[in-house]
């Protein structure tokens, strides 16, 4: 398969490029410096010259709190830019796999969200990502939107790296116990993105590692894997965060991988396994 990966220098993009290369794909790995998806001319030129079978769009402005202060930029990079990618895919018949987020939901449901649940983003980032979804899906059956959540990986900033950086500097770590989601690992997500591209699957897919927890619970597990006492992590409420975060987060971010399950795709692993692998890798 000929695959073009945008945002190839990011957390998910880096692992996606590695997985596709390991599978023998012919990969165009375009990081932000090589391709700005906000630039229609650049996008059309890159995609029509490489003529990929699939484009995996890992590029996004992921600074959730910063998006609140600059809605135009968020909408341009996470929304309108996806139109550029979709248009270029249409020109060459490439399948588009576009990454999206649990933040398209308001988090008030009392069960995990499946793919057909109503969206209602509570933040500028969430709104911009929902617009990106509709731009991608405008391609019809030649596009898939993959919503994922709480991503950690070897490349880029994430919660596992934050905990590793903080653990020796503080006797106690406080994390919110009233936001729930599915921690997901880029190394496990990347093969699923490739599979969606290879099969030319359509529509919205929730793809996460298995087993929900709170941020508090997740950090406790990270601390335990690091060989320290999970009791050093204390639970707090989102309302107690000082200073408060500019962007609202959904209290329930849990994504039911319903479409994958109904399609008979194998579920991703319990997050404990990739967590242990990542910690080993980051602390080796
Ligand atoms: N991280 C999570 O917890 C999470 C959760 C749910 C969904 N997602 C989604 O998963 C996808 C990948 O996220 P990630 O965790 O890999 O984020 P990331 O590490 O921030 O990667 C995003 C990449 O996109 C690049 N980028 C930003 N603006 C761009 C532009 N205009 N043109 C081209 N590239 C641009 C960034 O480059 P610079 O850094 O140089 O700007 C960065 O390398 C995103 O769609 C995100 O919304 C992430």
């Amino acid at each position: 398969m000929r695959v073009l990966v945008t945002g190839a220098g990011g957390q998910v993009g880096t692992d996606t490029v590695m997985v596709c290369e390991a599978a023998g794909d012919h990969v165009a790995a375009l990081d932000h410096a090589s391709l700005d998806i906000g630039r229609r001319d650049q996008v059309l030129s890159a995609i029509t010259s490489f003529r990929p079978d699939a484009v995996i769009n890992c590029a996004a402005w992921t600074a959730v709190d910063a998006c609140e202060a600059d809605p135009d930029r968020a909408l341009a990079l996470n929304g309108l830019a996806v139109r550029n990618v979709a248009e270029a895919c249409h020109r060459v018949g490439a399948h588009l796999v576009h990454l999206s987020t649990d933040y398209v939901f308001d988090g008030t449901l009392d069960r995990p969200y499946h793919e057909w649940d109503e969206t209602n983003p509570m933040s500028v980032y969430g709104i911009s990502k929902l617009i990106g979804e509709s731009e991608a899906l405008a391609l019809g059956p030649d596009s898939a939107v993959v919503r994922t959540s709480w991503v950690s990986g070897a490349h880029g900033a994430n919660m596992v790296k934050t905990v590793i950086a903080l653990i020796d500097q503080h006797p106690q770590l406080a994390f919110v116990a009233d936001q729930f989601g599915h921690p997901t690992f880029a190394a496990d997500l990347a093969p699923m993105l490739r599979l969606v591209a290879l099969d030319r699957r359509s529509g919205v897919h929730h793809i996460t590692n298995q087993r929900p927890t709170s941020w508090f619970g997740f950090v406790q597990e990270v601390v335990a894997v690091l060989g320290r006492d999970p009791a050093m992590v204390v639970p707090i409420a989102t309302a107690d965060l000082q200073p408060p975060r500019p962007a609202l987060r959904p209290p329930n971010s849990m994504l039911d991988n319903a479409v994958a399950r109904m399609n008979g795709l194998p579920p991703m692993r319990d997050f404990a396994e990739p967590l242990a692998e990542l910690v080993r890798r980051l602390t080796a």
Side-chain angles (χ1 to χ4, degrees), residues 6-14 30-33 35-39 42 57-63 73 76-78 81 98-103 125 129 146-152 155-158 184 186 189 215 255:
T6 65
Q11 180 167 236
V12 175
T14 305
L30 301 181
D31 63 11
H32 194 172
L35 174 65
D36 178 350
I37 63 163
R39 293 278 308 273
Q42 285 187 17
N57 184 30
C58 300
W61 189 31
T62 58
R73 182 169 179 218
L77 297 182
N78 293 337
H98 175 66
L99 265 291
S100 192
T101 170
D102 48 316
Y103 285 22
Y125 171 75
K129 293 295 295 183
V146 173
R147 293 189 190 129
T148 190
S149 61
W150 293 21
V151 180
S152 297
H155 313 274
N158 56 61
T184 298
L189 176 62
W215 283 117
L255 298 179

Side-chain angles (χ1 to χ4, degrees), residues 248-269:
L248 285 176
R249 268 75 173 165
N252 170 14
S253 268
M254 296 184 287
L255 298 179
D256 180 6
N257 295 197
V259 167
R261 184 174 63 250
M262 291 169 193
N263 276 332
L265 290 177
M268 275 164 59
R269 301 179 287 177

